[in-house]
PDB file of all heavy atoms in Angstrom:
ATOM      1  N   LEU A1233      72.601 152.337 170.303  1.00 95.00           N
ATOM      2  CA  LEU A1233      72.530 153.652 169.669  1.00 95.00           C
ATOM      3  C   LEU A1233      73.865 154.368 169.554  1.00 95.00           C
ATOM      4  O   LEU A1233      74.112 155.136 168.625  1.00 95.00           O
ATOM      5  CB  LEU A1233      71.540 154.581 170.412  1.00 95.00           C
ATOM      6  CG  LEU A1233      70.079 154.150 170.273  1.00 95.00           C
ATOM      7  CD1 LEU A1233      69.188 155.173 170.963  1.00 95.00           C
ATOM      8  CD2 LEU A1233      69.589 154.049 168.862  1.00 95.00           C
ATOM      9  N   VAL A1253      68.598 151.798 162.896  1.00 98.00           N
ATOM     10  CA  VAL A1253      68.850 152.493 164.138  1.00 98.00           C
ATOM     11  C   VAL A1253      67.950 151.772 165.243  1.00 98.00           C
ATOM     12  O   VAL A1253      66.798 151.614 165.037  1.00 98.00           O
ATOM     13  CB  VAL A1253      68.362 153.962 164.067  1.00 98.00           C
ATOM     14  CG1 VAL A1253      68.427 154.604 165.450  1.00 98.00           C
ATOM     15  CG2 VAL A1253      69.379 154.744 163.141  1.00 98.00           C
ATOM     16  N   GLY A1254      68.645 151.333 166.320  1.00 98.00           N
ATOM     17  CA  GLY A1254      67.891 150.686 167.363  1.00 98.00           C
ATOM     18  C   GLY A1254      68.783 150.176 168.398  1.00 98.00           C
ATOM     19  O   GLY A1254      70.035 150.183 168.389  1.00 98.00           O
ATOM     20  N   THR A1255      68.086 149.762 169.494  1.00 97.00           N
ATOM     21  CA  THR A1255      68.758 149.162 170.649  1.00 97.00           C
ATOM     22  C   THR A1255      68.320 147.749 170.925  1.00 97.00           C
ATOM     23  O   THR A1255      67.054 147.487 171.057  1.00 97.00           O
ATOM     24  CB  THR A1255      68.474 150.008 171.925  1.00 97.00           C
ATOM     25  OG1 THR A1255      68.987 151.356 171.745  1.00 97.00           O
ATOM     26  CG2 THR A1255      69.113 149.399 173.183  1.00 97.00           C
ATOM     27  N   ASN A1267      64.764 159.848 176.727  1.00 92.00           N
ATOM     28  CA  ASN A1267      65.324 160.479 175.461  1.00 92.00           C
ATOM     29  C   ASN A1267      65.378 159.496 174.308  1.00 92.00           C
ATOM     30  O   ASN A1267      65.898 159.872 173.245  1.00 92.00           O
ATOM     31  CB  ASN A1267      66.726 160.993 175.793  1.00 92.00           C
ATOM     32  CG  ASN A1267      66.679 162.110 176.908  1.00 92.00           C
ATOM     33  OD1 ASN A1267      65.789 162.931 176.843  1.00 92.00           O
ATOM     34  ND2 ASN A1267      67.655 162.113 177.693  1.00 92.00           N
ATOM     35  N   LEU A1268      64.892 158.250 174.459  1.00 95.00           N
ATOM     36  CA  LEU A1268      65.149 157.285 173.493  1.00 95.00           C
ATOM     37  C   LEU A1268      64.448 157.625 172.123  1.00 95.00           C
ATOM     38  O   LEU A1268      65.051 157.532 171.083  1.00 95.00           O
ATOM     39  CB  LEU A1268      64.630 155.876 173.930  1.00 95.00           C
ATOM     40  CG  LEU A1268      64.782 154.718 172.973  1.00 95.00           C
ATOM     41  CD1 LEU A1268      66.227 154.515 172.566  1.00 95.00           C
ATOM     42  CD2 LEU A1268      64.301 153.415 173.663  1.00 95.00           C
ATOM     43  N   LEU A1269      63.177 158.037 172.180  1.00 96.00           N
ATOM     44  CA  LEU A1269      62.510 158.434 170.944  1.00 96.00           C
ATOM     45  C   LEU A1269      63.222 159.559 170.282  1.00 96.00           C
ATOM     46  O   LEU A1269      63.369 159.494 169.054  1.00 96.00           O
ATOM     47  CB  LEU A1269      61.020 158.785 171.322  1.00 96.00           C
ATOM     48  CG  LEU A1269      60.136 159.109 170.107  1.00 96.00           C
ATOM     49  CD1 LEU A1269      60.100 157.921 169.114  1.00 96.00           C
ATOM     50  CD2 LEU A1269      58.745 159.462 170.579  1.00 96.00           C
ATOM     51  N   GLU A1270      63.586 160.529 170.991  1.00 95.00           N
ATOM     52  CA  GLU A1270      64.251 161.691 170.410  1.00 95.00           C
ATOM     53  C   GLU A1270      65.571 161.278 169.736  1.00 95.00           C
ATOM     54  O   GLU A1270      65.826 161.748 168.647  1.00 95.00           O
ATOM     55  CB  GLU A1270      64.546 162.674 171.540  1.00 95.00           C
ATOM     56  CG  GLU A1270      65.246 163.967 171.044  1.00 95.00           C
ATOM     57  CD  GLU A1270      65.472 164.918 172.195  1.00 95.00           C
ATOM     58  OE1 GLU A1270      64.691 164.933 173.117  1.00 95.00           O
ATOM     59  OE2 GLU A1270      66.464 165.682 172.130  1.00 95.00           O
ATOM     60  N   GLN A1271      66.323 160.383 170.422  1.00 95.00           N
ATOM     61  CA  GLN A1271      67.574 159.928 169.794  1.00 95.00           C
ATOM     62  C   GLN A1271      67.338 159.129 168.472  1.00 95.00           C
ATOM     63  O   GLN A1271      68.051 159.366 167.526  1.00 95.00           O
ATOM     64  CB  GLN A1271      68.283 159.034 170.764  1.00 95.00           C
ATOM     65  CG  GLN A1271      68.755 159.707 172.028  1.00 95.00           C
ATOM     66  CD  GLN A1271      69.444 158.726 172.964  1.00 95.00           C
ATOM     67  OE1 GLN A1271      70.516 158.199 172.717  1.00 95.00           O
ATOM     68  NE2 GLN A1271      68.797 158.478 174.109  1.00 95.00           N
ATOM     69  N   ILE A1272      66.299 158.241 168.492  1.00 97.00           N
ATOM     70  CA  ILE A1272      66.027 157.486 167.336  1.00 97.00           C
ATOM     71  C   ILE A1272      65.629 158.405 166.161  1.00 97.00           C
ATOM     72  O   ILE A1272      66.095 158.263 165.036  1.00 97.00           O
ATOM     73  CB  ILE A1272      64.945 156.462 167.581  1.00 97.00           C
ATOM     74  CG1 ILE A1272      65.442 155.376 168.561  1.00 97.00           C
ATOM     75  CG2 ILE A1272      64.461 155.817 166.275  1.00 97.00           C
ATOM     76  CD1 ILE A1272      64.333 154.449 169.070  1.00 97.00           C
ATOM     77  N   LEU A1273      64.730 159.374 166.451  1.00 96.00           N
ATOM     78  CA  LEU A1273      64.251 160.263 165.399  1.00 96.00           C
ATOM     79  C   LEU A1273      65.381 161.121 164.801  1.00 96.00           C
ATOM     80  O   LEU A1273      65.408 161.425 163.602  1.00 96.00           O
ATOM     81  CB  LEU A1273      63.157 161.208 165.966  1.00 96.00           C
ATOM     82  CG  LEU A1273      61.904 160.454 166.421  1.00 96.00           C
ATOM     83  CD1 LEU A1273      60.878 161.527 166.942  1.00 96.00           C
ATOM     84  CD2 LEU A1273      61.206 159.720 165.287  1.00 96.00           C
ATOM     85  N   ALA A1274      66.365 161.415 165.626  1.00 96.00           N
ATOM     86  CA  ALA A1274      67.490 162.203 165.105  1.00 96.00           C
ATOM     87  C   ALA A1274      68.358 161.334 164.199  1.00 96.00           C
ATOM     88  O   ALA A1274      68.809 161.778 163.150  1.00 96.00           O
ATOM     89  CB  ALA A1274      68.312 162.778 166.252  1.00 96.00           C
ATOM     90  N   LEU A1275      68.626 160.098 164.667  1.00 97.00           N
ATOM     91  CA  LEU A1275      69.608 159.255 163.935  1.00 97.00           C
ATOM     92  C   LEU A1275      68.966 158.796 162.607  1.00 97.00           C
ATOM     93  O   LEU A1275      69.741 158.428 161.615  1.00 97.00           O
ATOM     94  CB  LEU A1275      70.015 158.073 164.808  1.00 97.00           C
ATOM     95  CG  LEU A1275      70.974 158.390 165.898  1.00 97.00           C
ATOM     96  CD1 LEU A1275      70.974 157.266 166.995  1.00 97.00           C
ATOM     97  CD2 LEU A1275      72.325 158.655 165.412  1.00 97.00           C
ATOM     98  N   VAL A1276      67.693 158.689 162.534  1.00 97.00           N
ATOM     99  CA  VAL A1276      67.011 158.185 161.340  1.00 97.00           C
ATOM    100  C   VAL A1276      67.136 159.156 160.201  1.00 97.00           C
ATOM    101  O   VAL A1276      66.884 158.829 159.034  1.00 97.00           O
ATOM    102  CB  VAL A1276      65.539 157.851 161.634  1.00 97.00           C
ATOM    103  CG1 VAL A1276      64.689 157.757 160.412  1.00 97.00           C
ATOM    104  CG2 VAL A1276      65.472 156.554 162.418  1.00 97.00           C
ATOM    105  N   GLN A1277      67.566 160.355 160.403  1.00 96.00           N
ATOM    106  CA  GLN A1277      67.619 161.326 159.343  1.00 96.00           C
ATOM    107  C   GLN A1277      68.722 161.022 158.363  1.00 96.00           C
ATOM    108  O   GLN A1277      68.713 161.558 157.231  1.00 96.00           O
ATOM    109  CB  GLN A1277      67.951 162.758 159.943  1.00 96.00           C
ATOM    110  CG  GLN A1277      66.814 163.252 160.926  1.00 96.00           C
ATOM    111  CD  GLN A1277      65.469 163.171 160.350  1.00 96.00           C
ATOM    112  OE1 GLN A1277      65.191 163.659 159.203  1.00 96.00           O
ATOM    113  NE2 GLN A1277      64.542 162.514 161.028  1.00 96.00           N
ATOM    114  N   ILE A1284      64.048 150.409 161.799  1.00 98.00           N
ATOM    115  CA  ILE A1284      64.137 150.625 163.204  1.00 98.00           C
ATOM    116  C   ILE A1284      64.476 149.294 163.885  1.00 98.00           C
ATOM    117  O   ILE A1284      63.755 148.340 163.749  1.00 98.00           O
ATOM    118  CB  ILE A1284      62.850 151.215 163.822  1.00 98.00           C
ATOM    119  CG1 ILE A1284      62.529 152.546 163.143  1.00 98.00           C
ATOM    120  CG2 ILE A1284      63.026 151.418 165.292  1.00 98.00           C
ATOM    121  CD1 ILE A1284      63.511 153.662 163.296  1.00 98.00           C
ATOM    122  N   SER A1304      61.434 149.773 176.111  1.00 97.00           N
ATOM    123  CA  SER A1304      62.288 150.110 174.922  1.00 97.00           C
ATOM    124  C   SER A1304      61.595 149.644 173.632  1.00 97.00           C
ATOM    125  O   SER A1304      61.538 150.368 172.623  1.00 97.00           O
ATOM    126  CB  SER A1304      63.672 149.433 175.097  1.00 97.00           C
ATOM    127  OG  SER A1304      64.432 149.622 173.981  1.00 97.00           O
ATOM    128  N   THR A1307      58.849 151.937 172.610  1.00 97.00           N
ATOM    129  CA  THR A1307      59.335 153.196 172.060  1.00 97.00           C
ATOM    130  C   THR A1307      59.807 153.013 170.633  1.00 97.00           C
ATOM    131  O   THR A1307      59.571 153.877 169.770  1.00 97.00           O
ATOM    132  CB  THR A1307      60.528 153.769 172.990  1.00 97.00           C
ATOM    133  OG1 THR A1307      60.006 154.010 174.261  1.00 97.00           O
ATOM    134  CG2 THR A1307      61.017 155.089 172.355  1.00 97.00           C
ATOM    135  N   HIS A1308      60.485 151.934 170.381  1.00 98.00           N
ATOM    136  CA  HIS A1308      60.894 151.633 168.987  1.00 98.00           C
ATOM    137  C   HIS A1308      59.649 151.477 168.071  1.00 98.00           C
ATOM    138  O   HIS A1308      59.665 151.971 166.940  1.00 98.00           O
ATOM    139  CB  HIS A1308      61.681 150.340 168.925  1.00 98.00           C
ATOM    140  CG  HIS A1308      63.134 150.543 169.418  1.00 98.00           C
ATOM    141  ND1 HIS A1308      63.433 150.644 170.697  1.00 98.00           N
ATOM    142  CD2 HIS A1308      64.320 150.619 168.711  1.00 98.00           C
ATOM    143  CE1 HIS A1308      64.826 150.751 170.854  1.00 98.00           C
ATOM    144  NE2 HIS A1308      65.360 150.734 169.621  1.00 98.00           N
ATOM    145  N   ALA A1311      58.370 154.915 167.266  1.00 98.00           N
ATOM    146  CA  ALA A1311      59.158 155.553 166.234  1.00 98.00           C
ATOM    147  C   ALA A1311      58.952 154.999 164.844  1.00 98.00           C
ATOM    148  O   ALA A1311      58.802 155.739 163.848  1.00 98.00           O
ATOM    149  CB  ALA A1311      60.652 155.328 166.591  1.00 98.00           C
ATOM    150  N   ALA A1312      58.829 153.607 164.769  1.00 98.00           N
ATOM    151  CA  ALA A1312      58.644 152.973 163.492  1.00 98.00           C
ATOM    152  C   ALA A1312      57.268 153.356 162.842  1.00 98.00           C
ATOM    153  O   ALA A1312      57.223 153.670 161.627  1.00 98.00           O
ATOM    154  CB  ALA A1312      58.667 151.479 163.648  1.00 98.00           C
ATOM    155  N   LEU A1315      57.394 157.097 161.747  1.00 97.00           N
ATOM    156  CA  LEU A1315      58.242 157.286 160.546  1.00 97.00           C
ATOM    157  C   LEU A1315      57.856 156.413 159.347  1.00 97.00           C
ATOM    158  O   LEU A1315      58.463 156.590 158.288  1.00 97.00           O
ATOM    159  CB  LEU A1315      59.740 157.011 160.973  1.00 97.00           C
ATOM    160  CG  LEU A1315      60.331 157.889 161.990  1.00 97.00           C
ATOM    161  CD1 LEU A1315      61.534 157.306 162.627  1.00 97.00           C
ATOM    162  CD2 LEU A1315      60.630 159.262 161.363  1.00 97.00           C
TER     163      LEU A1315
END
Side-chain angles (χ1 to χ4, degrees):
L1233 288 184
V1253 169
T1255 297
N1267 298 320
L1268 180 56
L1269 181 58
E1270 181 180 330
Q1271 293 177 69
I1272 293 172
L1273 295 179
L1275 289 165
V1276 162
Q1277 299 308 308
I1284 302 297
S1304 176
T1307 300
H1308 283 76
L1315 295 162

